[in-house]
Each structure stands twice: as C-alpha cells, then as structure tokens.
Amino acid sequence: MELWYTEKQNDNLKLSCRVTKTLHVEKTPFQSLAVLDTPGFGRVLILDGIVQTTVWDEYIYHEMIAHVPLNTHRNPKKVLIIGGGDGGTAREVVRHPRVHAAVMVEIDERVVAASRAYLPELSSGLDDPKLDLRFADGIKHVEECENEYDVIIIDSTDPVGPAVGLFSKEFYQKVHRALKEDGLFTAQTESPLFDLSFIARIHGDVGSIFPVVRQYLACVPSYPGGLWSFTMGSKKYDPVLAAPESVPDLPYRYYNNTIHQAAFMLPQFMQELLGRG
Ligand code: SAM
C-alpha cells in the first residue's frame, strides 16, 4: 500500500508527495508537528499540516533568507533570527564571516528538538558558539529591544497561530525600533501566486515605516506555486542599487552575487500591484 502526504492549499488545490515513513508526530503546546521521510523531498518538516522545509530544497530558501540581507548590510555584526526552529537559517547566518553574534528566538522548543533528532543537515548550526538560542515569543523579544541589531531575519510559519502578529504593521514598527540606525530586516512573505494581496499589504506597511522596501523572489519547489517571496525593509542600504561589495567566498548552492541582483527583478503582475509598473 502506498502512503501519501497531502497539503491543502485551498478548496481547489491540494499538493501531495509519497511518504516512505512517518518518523515523528506530536502535538506541541503551539502546533502539530510531523517529520516524514519521502522519496521525492527526503525528510520533510510539517507544522499544522503545512510543509516548512525539506532536505531536498531547503538550501534555496535558507541561503536566500539569510545571505541577501547579510550581504546588503555592509557590516552585519549582530543578527536576530525570529522563528527558524529547523535551524537552516541559523546555519547560514553563523557561517557568514562578518556576523559576530546571532540571537535566535523560537517560540516552540519542540521544533528545535525534532530538527536536532531528524534533520541534522539543518540543525548543524544551532550549537555554533556565535548563536544564542532562546525559547520565547519573537514579538515579545523585539518589543524589549532598541537600537540593538544590524539585521533581523523573520523566518516564521504562515500567518496563523503564534505567527499572526509577525506580519502586522505594529510588529514592523517594533522591528524598526530594534534595528540600529543603518539596520535592515527580511521576512518570508508567502507565495506571490496565491497571496499577492497579502504581499501588497505588507509592502505598503513596511514602506510606510522604512525608507527602503523591496520584494525579492526565489524558487522553492516544495512550497505551493514554487515561487516564494521575501520582503526587505531597510533604514539605509538598498539591495538593488548597491550591489554587495564583497559577497564572501562561501560554498553556496543557490545564492551568488548575480542571484542577489536578479532576485529583485519582479514579474509584471507584481510590479503593477506594488505600484512600480
Ligand atoms: N521556512 C519555513 C516556512 O516558510 O514555512 C518556516 C520555518 S520555521 C520551522 C518557522 C518557525 O517559526 C516555527 O518553528 C514556529 O514555531 C516559529 N514561530 C512562529 N511564531 C513565532 C513567534 N511568534 N515567535 C518565535 N517563533 C515563532
């Protein structure tokens, strides 16, 4: 008998992948959590019925959410990661040579435990001496910070449950306050194909707070639609006008200095909605 995992995108679309083995299932205080082994994607982390990351394509998402902001800022010494419990973003942040220290604030300790147990490729950076890992609500942490971080990376779940507040205008105002005077942030902001009006709302909110707001894209096959968006709000550096002066010589698999520029070139339907058509 074949075992399949199916994720419901909407009333008309479901995405499925074949499962070799269910490795772990639990209900944490915050969400339901599962780790599956699949022939197509390798191991897959699922929260509340939504694929978070897969061993097969995680490098695309994690390199893009980390290295685009880190190489836009000239000196990203102190970094905050909100969410990111699988560890993939932390792994990328700690290997950047100009990062001296990173704080990661994840609300759900169980996601980190599952990743440590089943996803060593992702969780490998969590024990790096540069990283200070805390279990708390990222919203509360940001509220308590002022002028503290060079770069903030919001690697959250979809806007449901504990992550809802991470997509609000009030939260982006707090992020602005938590950043130093030339600071910038990046957040994962869902699918441009399925969530375009949501992205436009975020673009407007961030643009009303930060002088520079940019969307960029990457192809993440295991996410619905395959195309994924990230929003950057910056107090000073514009990732498009100012090409990264020195992208460090790291063994990237997706990111490089031309992808850094190309990722900001948006399809016509996005440009029109965001007012740059
Ligand atoms: N790459 C993924 C995606 O786009 O679907 C997200 C990865 S990561 C697993 C998301 C993490 O955000 C989860 O572990 C979740 O527990 C965490 N999270 C959600 N809301 C949070 C909050 N308010 N503060 C801190 N972490 C939060």
Side-chain angles (χ1 to χ4, degrees):
M1 195 185 70
E2 286 196 346
L3 186 61
W4 285 75
Y5 164 75
T6 295
E7 177 176 319
K8 183 177 175 187
Q9 171 61 20
N10 59 38
D11 288 345
N12 303 312
L13 182 66
K14 290 178 176 177
L15 306 169
S16 297
C17 66
R18 197 154 70 80
V19 175
T20 322
K21 196 171 179 194
T22 302
L23 298 168
H24 186 82
V25 179
E26 80 173 273
K27 183 97 186 78
T28 79
F30 299 97
Q31 52 214 339
S32 66
L33 185 164
V35 184
L36 308 178
D37 204 1
T38 75
F41 290 144
R43 292 186 174 186
V44 179
L45 173 70
I46 297 164
L47 295 176
D48 283 341
I50 297 169
V51 170
Q52 300 296 305
T53 194
T54 86
V55 167
W56 181 66
D57 63 0
E58 60 82 13
Y59 65 97
I60 305 172
Y61 174 92
H62 292 121
E63 288 184 11
M64 290 300 280
I65 201 169
H67 295 291
V68 174
L70 294 177
N71 290 325
T72 296
H73 196 289
R74 297 297 175 271
N75 199 11
K77 276 201 235 163
K78 189 163 182 199
V79 178
L80 170 66
I81 303 163
I82 296 177
D86 50 70
T89 298
R91 179 197 65 203
E92 294 304 317
V93 168
V94 298
R95 75 180 177 128
H96 195 290
R98 290 193 292 276
V99 172
H100 291 191
V103 175
M104 174 172 148
V105 182
E106 161 62 55
I107 204 166
D108 193 342
E109 215 167 326
R110 295 304 306 156
V111 178
V112 171
S115 188
R116 284 192 197 278
Y118 298 104
L119 306 169
E121 304 87 342
L122 287 104
S123 58
S124 60
L126 292 171
D127 295 318
D128 191 283
K130 280 186 191 178
L131 190 76
D132 171 5
L133 173 58
R134 304 180 192 175
F135 295 109
D137 188 335
I139 299 174
K140 207 160 175 308
H141 178 82
V142 166
E143 266 166 17
E144 288 158 6
C145 300
E146 191 174 348
N147 195 26
E148 198 161 329
Y149 294 103
D150 299 301
V151 171
I152 296 179
I153 299 175
I154 305 161
D155 182 10
S156 71
T157 36
D158 290 351
V160 285
V164 173
L166 295 172
F167 294 85
S168 71
K169 185 171 178 180
E170 296 67 40
F171 177 67
Y172 299 132
Q173 275 156 343
K174 287 169 190 157
V175 166
H176 186 277
R177 196 166 150 268
L179 285 166
K180 292 184 188 159
E181 63 182 14
D182 61 350
L184 56 88
F185 85 94
T186 285
Q188 76 84 4
T189 46
E190 306 292 295
S191 160
L193 297 161
F194 292 113
D195 310 301
L196 193 54
S197 55
F198 179 74
I199 294 171
R201 196 271 290 159
I202 290 175
H203 187 86
D205 286 352
V206 175
S208 70
I209 300 165
F210 287 83
V212 180
V213 55
R214 297 282 182 194
Q215 307 292 139
Y216 64 96
L217 301 173
C219 162
V220 187
S222 61
Y223 291 166
L227 195 60
W228 211 248
S229 85
F230 303 85
T231 300
M232 184 186 290
S234 172
K235 292 187 178 181
K236 179 175 174 186
Y237 305 112
D238 186 333
V240 178
L241 299 177
E245 279 153 11
S246 52
V247 170
D249 187 18
L250 293 172
Y252 306 108
R253 293 172 72 195
Y254 185 86
Y255 177 83
N256 57 35
N257 59 358
T258 54
I259 283 282
H260 182 107
Q261 293 295 320
F264 290 89
M265 303 301 125
L266 302 179
Q268 189 61 20
F269 71 90
M270 283 188 81
Q271 288 198 14
E272 283 171 14
L273 198 82
L274 302 178
R276 287 191 279 134

